[in-house]
């Protein structure tokens, strides 16, 4: 049924998925009596509750609401399936519409300028000729893109939500679909819903459950096609594999397809799956390389990265004698180097690409300082770039080397996230550098490696620095280890501990753990606190955290947990408990709800996705919450270095509490004091790499809390298995091909 009404107020709104509950006023007498507000208003209009997605939250436009009446928390509500705004025809109406915050980037001031320029025709201009908005003072090309995207998104998302309503798909999942397919989302869902299996984290089982409500047969090629995509993506996202061999892929796909098929019913055969795989290969939907099957993007990432690295290695470096320069640096700048450290410096100038690896405390920073000083002596006008995968790692790199221009790799490359460019034109330009040093290189996945090496110009020297024994990259691939194991790139292994105060045993224990040696030392800076249960561990961790914060300050103490959400000693539970102790509710400042999270002024928070304001992993503190002049809720966050930025509600969806974080999230960071639960109930997530990575985040003190037996089990537990990647092999093949080409050129 359809009703015409006007927005009156918002009861609930979730900015992350656009879900809202609003009160509507209408003169439509067909509205059921039980749905009407019992309170009588002076205007004699009928009030009722409407529930849906992307519903207008402004009284400046009327709207047509299509839906069905359902009983809900607020009584009988209209479950909106379709909403259409009645476009205003007057200047006043158009101004009201544009100033209603329905369109991101357009507030009252901008709306007034647009209406002043285009009058009642402004909405037609926005729809048909949006480029004309550049005639308005203050609307830049970047702002225009935001306006266009917001305008188009609001309509596409609304149509998508309507299409998914019968299938009980969560709003968060619906937004994932839109983020992946954009304006094609509705068309794809209508023609081949199994294409949803291309989306990371979108399980085949769910898609299958939705589609199988229709008449799609079990062995439908469309269904098998979806299972193959899902199998490849699951192996990539959960295990870091870039490919599966054809036999393994068929096996995983068959299991997916037949998992919920009742006994006695005809099941999908490996032969049927194999036939679809071959068809997908022929159509170019997946790539087969010597029987190894890749998603197209994964193959491109690996292949192009290998080719670019091979090109670097194939060009002979400029021969340099750095002996005098290095000796000058040693004597005049007071940089002492061991024999192995000196070898690392020499190697950096003998190859266009070299690697320095070693655990914390082995003098990697000292080597980098020496390399930088020697380079500047040899090339006074040479350009140096320093980078790391995370913001904290890049800032630490800048501090330790004495250079202020260190950046995150994403910032260096003009990237927002794993698929979001800040500046597409900039991404095509080679990096303007003669020497590039990348720290924490073990965190680089294949996607980021491709972005980086694609931008390295010929002749640039690249030095990758990292600890190969830390956790593998969160994203797919195992780039740093593959480059080391290939034997094609010069590698210097630093294994002598230098950064160790007298009596300190953190570095000593890290080395022992890495060697699978359970004979650890305990003392002031490595204190094991015993307990038996998660509940006991959580209580102790909270008490220890508060004690250490009182002495050292909250910015120097960090809890690292293997588990995100399961049990009292998980990240989420510890964050909730500690927050109530160190930052309790303030009567005059209410909590801010963003999605399922609640934020409070004074909270310690972490950025979880790269954007133009902060990097993934950056930790900051909420200093202020309130509305701006356009009545938008804004959150002021202070990051390290007294860097203060403002976040809107949508940007806050990529923020989480950070009193405790996962070990993975802490990669690339350092803290004075690390507290870590070590429990047998965490065994599934505990292994040598996890423990090693956690304790090497600490500069002054490590406090494991739990069971020593769990720590022993973790140290002895085999580390994460080998990932399916052929980067090293591909580099070797390209090098041979380049060598053959050179030989042919000589002959001709």
């Amino acid at each position: 049924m359809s009703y015409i009404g006007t927005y009156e107020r918002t009861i609930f709104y979730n900015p992350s998925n656009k879900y809202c509950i609003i009160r509507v006023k209408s003169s439509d007498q067909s509205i059921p009596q039980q749905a009407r507000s019992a309170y009588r208003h002076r205007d004699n209009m009928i009030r009722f509750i409407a529930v849906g997605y992307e519903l207008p939250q402004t009284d400046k436009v009327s709207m047509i609401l299509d839906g069905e009446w359902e009983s809900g928390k607020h009584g009988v509500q209209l479950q909106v399936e379709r909403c259409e705004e009645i476009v205003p025809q007057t200047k006043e109406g158009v101004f009201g519409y544009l100033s209603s915050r329905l369109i991101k980037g357009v507030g009252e001031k901008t709306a007034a300028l647009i209406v002043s320029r285009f009058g009642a025709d402004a909405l037609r201009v926005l729809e048909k000729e949006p480029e004309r908005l550049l005639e308005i003072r203050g609307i830049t090309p970047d702002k225009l893109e935001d306006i266009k995207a917001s305008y188009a998104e609001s309509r596409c998302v609304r149509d998508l939500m309507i299409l998914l309503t019968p299938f009980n798909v969560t709003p968060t999942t619906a937004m994932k679909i839109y983020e992946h397919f954009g304006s094609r989302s509705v068309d794809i869902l209508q023609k081949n819903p199994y294409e949803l299996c291309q989306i990371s984290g979108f399980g085949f089982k769910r898609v299958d459950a939705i589609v199988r409500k229709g008449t799609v047969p079990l062995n439908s090629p469309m269904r098998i096609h979806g299972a193959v995509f899902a199998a490849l993506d699951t192996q990539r996202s959960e295990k870091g594999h870039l490919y599966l061999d054809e036999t393994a892929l068929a096996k995983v796909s068959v299991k997916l397809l037949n998992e919920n098929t009742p006994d006695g019913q005809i099941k999908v055969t490996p032969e049927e799956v194999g036939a679809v795989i071959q068809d997908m290969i022929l159509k170019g939907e997946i790539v087969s390389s010597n029987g190894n099957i890749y998603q197209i993007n994964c193959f491109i990432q690996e292949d192009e990265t290998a080719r670019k690295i091979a090109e670097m290695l194939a060009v002979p470096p400029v021969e340099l004698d750095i002996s005098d320069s290095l000796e000058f640096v040693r004597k005049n700048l007071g940089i002492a180097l061991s024999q192995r450290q000196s070898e690392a410096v020499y190697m950096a100038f003998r190859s266009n690409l070299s690697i320095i690896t070693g655990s914390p405390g082995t003098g990697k920073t000292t080597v980098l300082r020496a390399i930088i000083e020697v380079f500047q002596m040899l090339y006074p006008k040479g350009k140096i770039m320093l980078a790391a995968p995370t913001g904290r790692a890049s800032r630490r790199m800048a501090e330790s080397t004495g250079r202020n221009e260190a950046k995150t790799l994403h910032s260096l490359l003009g990237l927002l996230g794993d698929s979001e460019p800040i500046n597409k034109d900039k991404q095509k330009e080679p990096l303007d550098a003669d020497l590039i040093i990348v720290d924490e290189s073990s965190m680089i996945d294949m996607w980021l490696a491709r972005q980086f090496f694609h931008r390295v110009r010929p002749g640039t020297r690249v030095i990758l620095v990292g600890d190969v024994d830390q956790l593998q990259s969160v994203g797919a691939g195992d780039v740093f280890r593959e480059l080391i194991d290939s034997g094609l790139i010069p590698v210097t292994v630093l294994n002598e501990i230098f950064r160790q105060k007298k009596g300190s045993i953190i570095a000593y224990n890290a080395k022992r753990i890495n060697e699978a040696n359970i004979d650890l030392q305990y003392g002031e800076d490595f204190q094991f606190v015993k307990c038996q249960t998660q509940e006991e561990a959580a209580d102790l961790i909270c008490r220890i955290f508060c004690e250490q914060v009182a002495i050292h300050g909250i910015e120097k103490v960090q809890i690292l947990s293997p588990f995100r959400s399961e049990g009292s000693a998980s990240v989420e539970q510890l964050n909730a408990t500690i927050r109530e102790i160190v930052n309790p509710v303030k009567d005059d400042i209410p909590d801010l709800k963003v999605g399922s999270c609640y934020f409070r002024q004074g909270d310690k928070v972490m950025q979880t996705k790269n954007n133009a304001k902060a990097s993934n992993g950056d930790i900051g503190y909420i200093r202020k919450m309130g509305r701006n002049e356009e009545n938008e809720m804004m959150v002021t966050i202070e990051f390290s270095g007294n860097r203060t930025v403002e976040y809107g509600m949508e940007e806050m969806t990529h923020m989480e509490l950070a009193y405790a974080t996962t070990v993975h999230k802490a990669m690339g960071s350092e803290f004075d004091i690390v507290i870590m639960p070590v429990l047998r109930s965490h065994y599934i997530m505990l292994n040598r790499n996890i423990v090693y990575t956690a304790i090497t985040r600490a500069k002054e003190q490590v406090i494991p809390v739990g069971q020593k037996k769990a720590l022993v089990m973790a140290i002895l537990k085999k580390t994460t298995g080998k990932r399916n990647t052929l980067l090293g092999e591909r580099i070797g093949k390209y090098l041979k091909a380049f060598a053959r080409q050179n030989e042919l050129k000589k002959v001709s």
Side-chain angles (χ1 to χ4, degrees), residues 319-332:
E319 293 288 335
L320 295 170
D321 184 0
I322 67 166
S323 302
D324 293 342
S325 300
L326 184 56
E327 189 63 26
F328 179 88
V329 167
R330 280 173 165 163
K331 288 182 178 179
N332 292 276

Side-chain angles (χ1 to χ4, degrees), residues 166-169 193-194 196-197 202-216 223 256 260:
F167 304 113
N168 297 318
V169 172
Y194 281 103
L196 294 177
C197 296
F202 208 110
F204 173 81
K205 292 180 184 177
R206 181 131 195 214
V207 178
D208 200 41
I210 293 171
V211 180
R212 292 283 308 283
K213 289 181 179 180
T215 57
V216 177
R223 183 171 181 261
L256 270 177
N260 295 315

